Amino acid sequence: ETVRDAAGNLLGLTWNMVRAALPHLKPGASIINVSTIFSRTKYFGRAAYVVPKAAMNAFSRQLALQIGNRGIRVNIVYPGPIESQRIRTVFSAMDKLRKAEPGTTADEFLSTMALAQPEEKGPPTRTLPTVEDVANTMVFLGSDESRAFSTQGFEVTNGM
């Protein structure tokens, strides 16, 4: 993947979606952009992914400042590594690129998380956030219960 491809797919899609939707949004509407915590942390070998996401962070803030007077909120969600086979594959590839022992990258990220999640049986353990954790954050941001939030970033990282 090239930075140009990633910029078109990650930032360009957001830009064009906002341009298309904005004329139809009424006061009280909520725009929620999804970035990644990796746009603000280390993420070895993935510059083509994180650079466009970092640009989206700036875009989201500027958009919020420009359209807030219309009563439209703009916030951004920063998911951390989400529990999935995909992130395990990415972590494995990072281990190989770094010439590290298998599991090193995953262990490093887990060790930075402040929050251990409760388990049904046994003590709380550090785990990666889930898709549901991200979805619940977005449901909140799309609801009227978040009406006082704009220009904010919400990290879904278990306290990374």
Side-chain angles (χ1 to χ4, degrees):
E1 180 175 55
T2 67
V3 172
R4 181 180 178 181
D5 291 339
N9 293 333
L10 300 172
L11 178 60
L13 178 64
T14 301
W15 179 277
N16 288 321
M17 180 66 75
V18 167
R19 285 184 57 208
L22 201 52
H24 308 285
L25 297 180
K26 298 185 178 1
S30 176
I31 295 173
I32 307 162
N33 289 327
V34 180
S35 183
T36 176
I37 195 63
F38 301 123
S39 65
R40 300 167 9 159
T41 66
K42 67 179 184 175
Y43 201 43
F44 190 83
R46 303 280 294 176
Y49 176 69
V50 300
V51 169
K53 288 290 193 173
M56 183 193 304
N57 303 349
F59 168 66
S60 297
R61 178 158 175 75
Q62 291 303 310
L63 181 64
L65 295 172
Q66 289 178 24
I67 66 172
N69 63 347
R70 293 177 48 190
I72 300 170
R73 305 183 311 272
V74 181
N75 292 291
I76 192 161
V77 176
Y78 297 103
I82 301 302
E83 182 56 55
S84 64
Q85 183 55 49
R86 180 178 184 272
I87 198 66
R88 297 293 177 183
T89 301
V90 169
F91 285 168
S92 178
M94 286 181 180
D95 287 341
K96 289 175 186 166
L97 283 171
R98 298 170 56 199
K99 296 179 177 33
E101 292 292 319
T104 299
T105 302
D107 290 344
E108 287 174 355
F109 280 109
L110 284 169
S111 73
T112 66
M113 295 179 184
L115 179 63
Q117 293 290 349
E119 297 289 324
E120 276 190 40
K121 296 179 182 179
T125 59
R126 286 192 172 113
T127 61
L128 300 176
T130 65
V131 170
E132 290 81 11
D133 295 327
V134 177
N136 289 335
T137 303
M138 294 176 72
V139 167
F140 168 71
L141 290 173
S143 75
D144 288 341
E145 293 175 1
S146 69
R147 70 179 185 202
F149 294 100
S150 193
T151 74
Q152 300 301 304
F154 291 80
E155 295 184 2
V156 184
T157 64
N158 286 342
M160 238 177 83

